């Protein structure tokens, strides 16, 4: 409005910049409430009248047209404010519901469970969303700590629905079943009952009991990264590949549990393919096996945050897929 006034006074009444004063209340309705819009509209009307008097247009048809333009745009701005505030209130309600759903579906994992220290990093590929196609859970059962990390085929609400089925079945089975293979079978049956046959979930389940070992059950998921206390790192690849969850109708053999050493100072990093398939500008995948040195920090959360930052630095932009990482660290004697 100040710029219009300056240009109008310098250009004279012949040019006709006076109606542009209505830009003030037009923009006010986009960013402020109705009080701000009314105030800016009143100021615009006074400015329009003052400029009309200065230019000798106050009693002229052009002067009245400019003032009616300000009043009309102010009224339209008030309607826009009401509509915008209604949409904002609806969006706030939807976000609160989404946050509640997120707390139910992807509950915060415990910081510690038995001899384990646990850290989590989760990034959804959908902007402003915290729920995607990746899933994780940690359950303390009578036989030890049981973990699942998985990746649902597809994205969006259908992926969230599939993740809810998997997590619900795992939470029940992980506490009730005596061995890890029975847990996987119950999750498989739940998917067969509730989801279409073309849907599947790659997942890896783990169990850490009283012994210094971790038992893995891999359903077509990327192999976790094991980092020993001496810093040596390797991928815990399964002896034989198995189909993902949800494809048991094909009659293939289920995965067999594998036991790996897991003692004081050791770490196991579970992740989804959104991590290892993240590409940089040259198209190179993220080299996860080279990040073992980043996990040396005494604090597990800080160590995992360093890996996530390394992933972001590698991509130099938003991730194209959901990326979940869950770090299990066997606490040494006397460690916090």
């Amino acid at each position: 409005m100040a710029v219009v006034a300056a240009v109008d006074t310098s250009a004279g009444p012949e040019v006709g910049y006076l109606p542009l004063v209505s830009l003030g209340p037009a923009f006010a309705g986009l960013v402020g409430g109705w009080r701000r819009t009314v105030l800016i509209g009143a100021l615009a009307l006074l400015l329009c009248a003052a400029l009309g008097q200065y230019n000798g247009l106050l009693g002229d048809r052009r002067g009245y047209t400019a003032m009616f333009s300000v009043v009309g745009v102010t009224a339209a701005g008030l309607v826009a404010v009401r509509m915008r505030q209604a949409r904002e209130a609806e969006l706030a309600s939807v976000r609160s519901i989404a946050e509640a759903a997120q707390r139910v579906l992807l509950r915060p994992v415990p910081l510690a469970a038995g001899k384990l220290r646990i850290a989590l990093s989760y990034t959804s590929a959908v902007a402003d969303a915290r729920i995607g196609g990746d899933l994780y859970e940690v359950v303390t059962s009578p036989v030890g700590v049981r973990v699942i990390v998985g990746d649902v085929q597809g994205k969006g609400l259908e992926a969230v629905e599939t993740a809810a089925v998997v997590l619900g079945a795992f939470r029940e089975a992980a506490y009730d079943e005596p061995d890890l293979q029975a847990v996987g079978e119950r999750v498989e049956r739940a998917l067969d009952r509730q989801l279409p046959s073309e849907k599947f979930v790659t997942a890896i389940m783990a169990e850490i009991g009283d012994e210094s070992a971790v038992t893995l059950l891999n359903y077509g998921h990327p192999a976790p990264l094991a980092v020993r206390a001496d810093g040596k790192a390797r991928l815990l690849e399964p002896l034989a590949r198995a189909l993902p969850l949800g494809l048991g109708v094909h009659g293939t053999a289920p995965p067999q549990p594998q036991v790996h050493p897991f003692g004081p100072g050791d770490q196991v990093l579970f992740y989804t393919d959104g991590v290892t398939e993240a590409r940089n500008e040259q198209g190179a995948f993220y080299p996860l096996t080279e990040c073992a040195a980043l996990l040396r920090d005494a604090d597990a959360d800080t160590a995992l945050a360093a890996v996530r930052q390394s992933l972001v630095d590698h991509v130099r932009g938003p991730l194209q897929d959901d990326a979940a990482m869950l770090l299990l660290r066997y606490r040494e004697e006397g460690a916090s």
Side-chain angles (χ1 to χ4, degrees):
M1 287 163 55
V3 171
V4 171
V7 173
D8 185 79
T9 54
S10 62
E14 297 83 8
V15 181
Y17 286 117
L18 194 58
L20 294 179
V21 174
S22 60
L23 289 174
F27 282 106
L30 298 177
V31 296
W34 68 269
R35 291 184 178 87
R36 178 188 178 92
T37 304
V38 169
L39 176 60
I40 298 299
L43 291 175
L45 188 61
L46 290 175
L47 180 60
C48 188
L51 290 175
Q53 178 67 32
Y54 177 80
N55 293 327
L57 301 175
L58 193 57
D60 188 83
R61 184 176 62 182
R62 286 188 296 172
Y64 287 127
T65 300
M67 296 177 69
F68 281 130
S69 297
V70 172
V71 173
V73 171
T74 302
L78 290 173
V79 174
V81 166
R82 183 175 181 83
M83 296 175 64
R84 176 175 57 81
Q85 290 179 336
R87 288 194 299 269
E88 288 175 350
E90 182 180 2
L91 179 59
S93 176
V94 170
R95 282 181 173 175
S96 65
I97 295 173
E99 289 177 357
Q102 189 259 353
R103 289 193 294 269
V104 172
L105 181 59
L106 294 178
R107 301 181 299 195
V109 299
L111 298 179
K115 299 178 180 179
L116 300 178
R117 178 71 174 86
I118 304 170
L120 173 72
S121 171
Y122 181 81
T123 305
S124 174
V126 181
D128 298 326
R130 285 186 284 177
I131 302 177
D134 290 357
L135 57 93
Y136 54 83
E137 184 58 287
V138 178
V139 176
T140 302
S141 73
V143 298
V145 177
R146 286 173 169 170
V147 176
I148 184 172
V149 174
D151 188 358
V152 179
Q153 173 208 14
K155 296 183 177 66
L157 293 178
E158 290 186 357
V160 174
E161 178 186 6
T162 305
V165 173
V166 173
L167 289 172
F170 177 79
R171 286 164 182 161
E172 291 292 327
Y175 193 83
D176 295 337
E177 297 296 340
D179 61 77
L180 195 60
Q181 218 165 358
V183 175
E185 291 171 358
R186 277 185 57 173
V187 175
E188 184 78 68
R189 289 196 298 269
L191 281 173
D192 291 342
R193 288 194 307 268
Q194 301 185 45
L195 293 179
S197 58
E198 67 271 11
K199 291 290 183 181
F200 64 86
V201 182
T202 68
I204 185 165
M205 301 180 190
E207 178 182 290
I208 301 95
D210 295 331
E211 300 179 358
S212 297
V214 55
T215 303
L216 300 178
L217 200 62
N218 195 325
Y219 288 87
H221 197 76
L225 177 68
V227 182
R228 302 299 302 271
D230 58 7
K232 295 181 180 179
R234 70 183 183 95
L235 294 173
L236 302 180
E237 297 281 359
L239 296 178
R241 289 288 177 181
L243 288 178
L245 292 166
L247 299 181
V249 293
H250 294 283
T252 57
Q256 297 300 312
Q258 294 187 26
V259 180
H260 301 275
F262 187 55
D266 292 346
Q267 304 177 76
V268 178
L269 178 62
F270 300 89
Y271 55 91
T272 57
D273 59 10
V275 176
T276 51
E277 294 182 1
R279 298 173 181 261
N280 60 12
E281 297 175 348
Q282 290 73 39
F285 292 114
Y286 177 66
L288 180 66
T289 54
E290 299 176 10
C291 79
L294 300 175
L295 297 173
R296 294 176 182 173
D297 195 284
D299 182 73
D301 288 315
T302 303
L304 192 58
V307 177
R308 185 183 184 280
Q309 186 59 50
S310 172
L311 175 65
V312 172
D313 293 342
H314 176 81
V315 176
R316 296 185 181 275
L319 298 179
Q320 300 302 310
D321 194 5
D322 301 329
M325 293 183 288
L326 190 145
L327 178 65
L328 298 183
R329 177 177 288 182
Y330 198 115
R331 293 186 292 182
E332 300 185 40
E333 295 296 332
S336 59

